Amino acid sequence: MANKGPAYGMSRDVQSKIEKKYDDELEDRLVEWIVAQCGAAVGRPERGRLGFQVWLKNGIVLSRLVNSLYPDGSKPVKIPDNPPTMVFKQMEQIAQFLKAAEDYGVVKTDVFQTVDLFEAKDMAAVQRTLMALGSLAVTKSDGHYHGDPNWFMKKAQEHKREFTESQLKEGKNVIGLQMGTNKGASQAGMSYGRPRQIIS
C-alpha cells in the first residue's frame, strides 16, 4: 500500500476512467445526509474526492452512519472511543461497516471493497454503496432516517394481492393470451408462396 508507485499505460487509463465516474454533486448530497443522520459532531470533509476519502477513511463516520439507522440498543458496529490510527484497525472498521450495510439490506453488488475507500481506488463505488444505503433507509421509513427523503429514490416494494376463492375459479376459465385466442384473427385466406405444381 505505502510503496505503490505511479500508474502508467493501461493501468493509468483504467484509473482515470474510474475517477471520472465520481460525482461531485452526489458528494454534496451524501455529506448533507451523513451530517443530518449522525449530527454535526462528524464534521465536514474538504470538498473533492480526496477530502471525501480522508473523511471516511478510518471508518468511524461510516460506522456512526450505519448505527444511526438502527434503534438504540441494537447497534451493529462497535465504535472505539479513540479513532483508530493503525492501518489494519481502520480497514477493520471499514469492513465492519460493510458487513453491517449488507445486513441492513444493501445488495452485495452495491457494496464497495475496503481498498476502494482506503486507497481511494474507486470512490464512485463508495458513493454507490452510500446511495444504496440511503435508498433502503428511505424505503424502510421506520423513523430512523433523517434528512430530506427526496435525496434518495425509494426501492420498489412488494405489492401482495389477495384473491377470493370465486375470483380464483373465474381465472381458470380465461384463456391466457400466451396460449392464443379463440376469437379474432384466423388463417383463412392466407397463402404462402406459389401453389404446388403437378406436372404429368
Side-chain angles (χ1 to χ4, degrees):
M1 280 183 276
N3 44 350
K4 185 180 78 172
Y8 296 101
M10 193 168 157
S11 322
R12 185 182 198 169
D13 292 344
V14 168
Q15 190 59 39
S16 85
K17 281 183 182 175
I18 289 171
E19 287 172 9
K20 284 179 186 168
K21 289 181 181 176
Y22 186 80
D23 186 346
D24 292 318
E25 289 177 22
L26 180 56
E27 175 197 314
D28 294 339
R29 188 179 346 151
L30 290 171
V31 168
E32 289 303 319
W33 175 52
I34 293 170
V35 170
Q37 192 71 37
C38 303
V42 294
R44 284 182 179 273
E46 287 183 33
R47 280 188 60 82
R49 194 172 59 83
L50 231 52
F52 192 58
Q53 184 254 349
V54 169
W55 188 49
L56 301 176
K57 186 177 178 178
N58 66 8
I60 297 297
V61 173
L62 293 173
S63 300
R64 286 195 175 142
L65 174 65
V66 78
N67 280 352
S68 70
L69 298 173
Y70 284 87
D72 291 336
S74 65
K75 306 292 183 195
V77 180
K78 187 173 185 282
I79 300 174
D81 295 332
N82 299 319
T85 53
M86 290 189 284
V87 171
F88 78 93
K89 285 285 187 188
Q90 291 177 345
M91 291 180 92
E92 191 176 86
Q93 197 70 39
I94 295 169
Q96 285 182 32
F97 160 77
L98 294 174
K99 185 184 180 322
E102 273 189 61
D103 293 344
Y104 190 72
V106 176
V107 186
K108 206 173 190 75
T109 52
D110 285 339
V111 175
F112 66 87
Q113 301 294 309
T114 305
V115 292
D116 290 341
L117 170 59
F118 198 80
E119 297 179 4
K121 282 190 181 285
D122 190 356
M123 290 303 292
V126 175
Q127 287 184 322
R128 278 194 307 274
T129 302
L130 293 173
M131 282 297 292
L133 187 65
S135 293
L136 275 168
V138 168
T139 305
K140 287 186 178 185
S141 66
D142 54 6
H144 297 295
Y145 174 84
H146 304 295
D148 187 347
N150 297 322
W151 285 340
F152 303 101
M153 287 178 52
K154 279 191 169 187
K155 297 239 182 232
Q157 293 176 303
E158 180 182 54
H159 182 67
K160 258 202 146 106
R161 293 173 180 85
E162 297 291 329
F163 294 104
T164 63
E165 201 60 43
S166 64
Q167 287 173 320
L168 290 171
K169 280 182 184 174
E170 276 182 43
K172 289 180 181 175
N173 299 329
V174 175
I175 297 173
L177 291 177
Q178 293 92 341
M179 296 177 226
T181 178
N182 56 1
K183 298 177 186 161
S186 73
Q187 290 183 337
M190 293 177 73
S191 62
Y192 293 97
R194 295 175 57 196
R196 192 168 67 175
Q197 303 292 316
I198 301 174
I199 300 171
S200 53

